[in-house]
Amino acid sequence: QVQLQESGPGLVKPRQTLSLTCTVSGVSIATGLYYWSWIRQSPGKGLEWMGVISYSGSTYYAPHLKSRTSIARDTSKNQITLQLLSVAPEETAVYYCAASRGLILEETTRDLYDYWGQGTQVTISS
């Protein structure tokens, strides 16, 4: 059974860097089975796709976030990480990691993904 667990600071100050980790169990992220995405949902808004990393380390980002976003993998820890530079209060959201068997770009329909983490709440506030 594949499981994803997001973790990170619950509170980040504006203009600082947000760093989150998705710990994967049940499958090695280095295998060619899944792509690993980050998706967020701000209060009162729909899901927003942020980016994805492949099993080989290739990355794709939402165009409007590309300059501030970095997704990486640590195969020794079986983790996927997200860094978001210079965050703003409107980026307060629940941040999710999700796994899909195929490459999904800029789609957030839940059924397209095979597994989701439970999400981690991040508040951007001074």
Side-chain angles (χ1 to χ4, degrees):
Q1 178 71 13
V2 177
Q3 292 186 320
L4 290 70
Q5 179 67 59
E6 304 90 344
S7 60
L11 179 64
V12 180
K13 295 183 184 301
R15 295 178 299 281
Q16 289 190 341
T17 296
L18 168 63
S19 296
L20 297 177
T21 298
C22 175
T23 301
V24 180
S25 60
V27 69
S28 168
I29 64 172
T31 67
L33 292 176
Y34 295 102
Y35 292 82
W36 310 92
S37 297
W38 282 98
I39 295 165
R40 66 184 179 183
Q41 186 167 26
S42 297
K45 297 184 180 179
L47 294 167
E48 178 186 16
W49 184 84
M50 300 181 70
V52 62
I53 188 167
S54 75
Y55 56 89
S56 64
S58 298
T59 53
Y60 306 86
Y61 300 108
H64 67 291
L65 294 173
K66 186 176 182 179
S67 63
R68 298 192 294 123
T69 307
S70 178
I71 298 175
R73 61 189 187 131
D74 185 335
T75 56
S76 66
K77 296 180 180 179
N78 219 39
Q79 292 176 334
I80 306 295
T81 59
L82 170 73
Q83 280 202 327
L84 183 62
L85 305 178
S86 190
V87 294
E90 55 266 32
E91 296 183 287
T92 292
V94 177
Y95 286 75
Y96 299 93
C97 58
S100 59
R101 289 189 180 272
L103 176 62
I104 298 175
L105 299 177
E106 300 189 75
E107 288 281 354
T108 57
T109 304
R110 279 190 171 269
D111 289 349
L112 291 177
Y113 295 86
D114 295 274
Y115 300 98
W116 288 76
Q118 65 183 24
T120 186
Q121 173 70 49
V122 177
T123 299
I124 312 298
S125 175
S126 55

